[in-house]
């Protein structure tokens, strides 16, 4: 590949180091516009007719992503990746949940009366939409950027989107063995879908993941169980851990998305997964974000376990204190950049520690 990112090889090495618990990756969530000329003279597509076209028209989205990326900054370790997400947890849409395009995101909703269909239907409209979008983006990328893997999600989060949260949690009590069987079927479908997507988007065995800025020289995924804030450590070990562990064993590089203060009680179980590479921390609504000093001990615990960390929505003034307090090894820091000048300022800070 000859991407629009001038320092791609340097950033690849930093990602490799980070996956192995070394060094610092400096990036951001999504992208911002670069200063100066675009990377290429890409024609801007017409405005979408409506929200449906904005999210669910593969050709329009591919054209728009191509245009946006041609004008995006890839300074520091910001990755050139087309964000092909179809909502957080779009695997559920392939098995009966509903895609609902909103102003800022796509919601995956439980649809009343949806039959439980824990298998991949090749003719399913949501599956075909994923394929069409990925192929359209890949056709336009032309080696200038990676086509990211959508945020499929897994396990209980997917089941809750299909069946509803209350029914899913009740199943833990009423039919735990049956629930385990359903979760294994979801994992089986996950691997089918993930591998098919990988075949479309990989570049000589390398790939990128849409959420949280991930690249790896192999298969890579973000894993989670956001619903786990609602149940005990014992239930986590029974209904989440085995299936997350299987993903970590079958996918080369994995990042666990730990979401919410109450989810911290599951951290020891998460850190027990030998094959897991890294943990990303999302404090939750109303909490200070990833650069706040109250999370330093959490980061130190994760690092001490041999896993790397990802801190998100760090502000520029929090960057240096964060590194001073938790060290310089195994850090992926996503700063809430607003301009390229802020990226340059952050680079001056980080380069002192490299």
């Amino acid at each position: 590949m000859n991407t629009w990112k001038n320092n791609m090889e340097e950033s690849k090495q930093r990602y490799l180091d980070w996956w192995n618990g070394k060094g610092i990756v400096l990036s951001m969530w999504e992208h911002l516009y670069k200063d100066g000329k675009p990377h290429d003279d890409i024609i801007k597509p017409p405005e979408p007719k409506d929200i449906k076209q904005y999210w669910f028209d593969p050709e329009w989205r591919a054209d728009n992503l191509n245009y946006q990326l041609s004008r995006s900054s890839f300074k520091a370790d910001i990755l050139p990746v087309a964000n092909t997400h179809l909502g957080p947890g779009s695997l559920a849409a392939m098995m009966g949940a509903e895609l609902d395009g909103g102003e800022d995101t796509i919601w995956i909703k439980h649809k009343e009366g949806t039959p439980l269909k824990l298998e991949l239907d090749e003719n399913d409209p949501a599956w075909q939409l994923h394929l069409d979008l990925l192929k359209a983006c890949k056709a336009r990328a032309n080696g200038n950027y990676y086509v990211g893997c959508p945020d499929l999600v897994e396990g209980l989060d997917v089941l809750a989107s299909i069946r509803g949260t209350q029914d899913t949690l009740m199943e833990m009590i009423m039919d735990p063995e049956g629930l385990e069987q359903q979760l294994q079927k979801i994992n089986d479908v996950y691997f089918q879908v993930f591998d098919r997507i990988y075949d479309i988007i990989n570049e000589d065995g390398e790939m990128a993941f849409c959420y949280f800025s991930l690249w790896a020289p192999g298969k890579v995924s973000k894993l989670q169980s956001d619903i786990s804030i609602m149940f005990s450590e014992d239930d986590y070990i029974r209904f989440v851990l085995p299936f997350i562990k299987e993903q970590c064993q079958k996918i080369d590089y994995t990042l666990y998305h730990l979401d919410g203060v109450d989810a911290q009680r599951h951290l020891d179980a998460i850190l027990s997964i030998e094959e897991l590479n890294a943990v990303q921390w999302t404090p939750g609504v109303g909490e200070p974000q990833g650069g706040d000093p109250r999370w330093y001990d959490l980061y130190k615990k994760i690092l001490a376990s041999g896993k790397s960390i990802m801190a998100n929505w760090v502000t520029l003034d929090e960057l240096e204190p964060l590194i001073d307090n938790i060290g310089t090894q195994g850090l992926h820091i996503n700063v809430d950049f607003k301009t390229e000048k802020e990226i340059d300022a952050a680079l001056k800070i980080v380069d002192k520690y490299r």
Side-chain angles (χ1 to χ4, degrees), residues 95-164:
M95 294 186 282
E98 193 170 31
L99 291 174
D100 183 18
E103 197 166 309
D104 299 318
T105 190
I106 299 170
W107 300 102
I108 314 293
K109 294 183 175 180
H110 164 61
K111 189 176 181 180
E112 199 66 39
T114 298
L116 200 58
K117 183 185 67 174
L118 301 182
E119 58 186 16
L120 180 61
D121 177 1
E122 290 289 343
N123 298 314
D124 180 83
W127 173 229
Q128 289 302 316
L129 176 60
H130 279 76
L131 294 176
D132 291 344
L133 177 58
L134 294 166
K135 290 175 181 177
C137 289
K138 187 66 178 285
R140 287 158 179 78
N142 199 30
N144 296 316
Y145 48 86
Y146 292 86
V147 177
C149 179
D151 189 22
L152 300 171
V153 187
E154 51 275 317
L156 284 168
D157 285 358
V158 166
L159 191 59
S161 293
I162 302 167
R163 300 189 57 187

Side-chain angles (χ1 to χ4, degrees), residues 157-176:
D157 285 358
V158 166
L159 191 59
S161 293
I162 302 167
R163 300 189 57 187
T165 299
Q166 184 172 331
D167 286 351
T168 300
L169 294 174
M170 282 297 296
E171 201 78 356
M172 289 182 174
I173 302 167
M174 305 302 294
D175 186 13

Side-chain angles (χ1 to χ4, degrees), residues 259-262 264 281-292 294-295 313:
D259 191 339
V261 172
D262 289 339
Q264 290 182 79
W281 170 235
T282 295
V285 177
E287 298 287 345
Q289 294 306 301
D292 192 271
R294 74 182 64 189
W295 312 127
W313 304 287

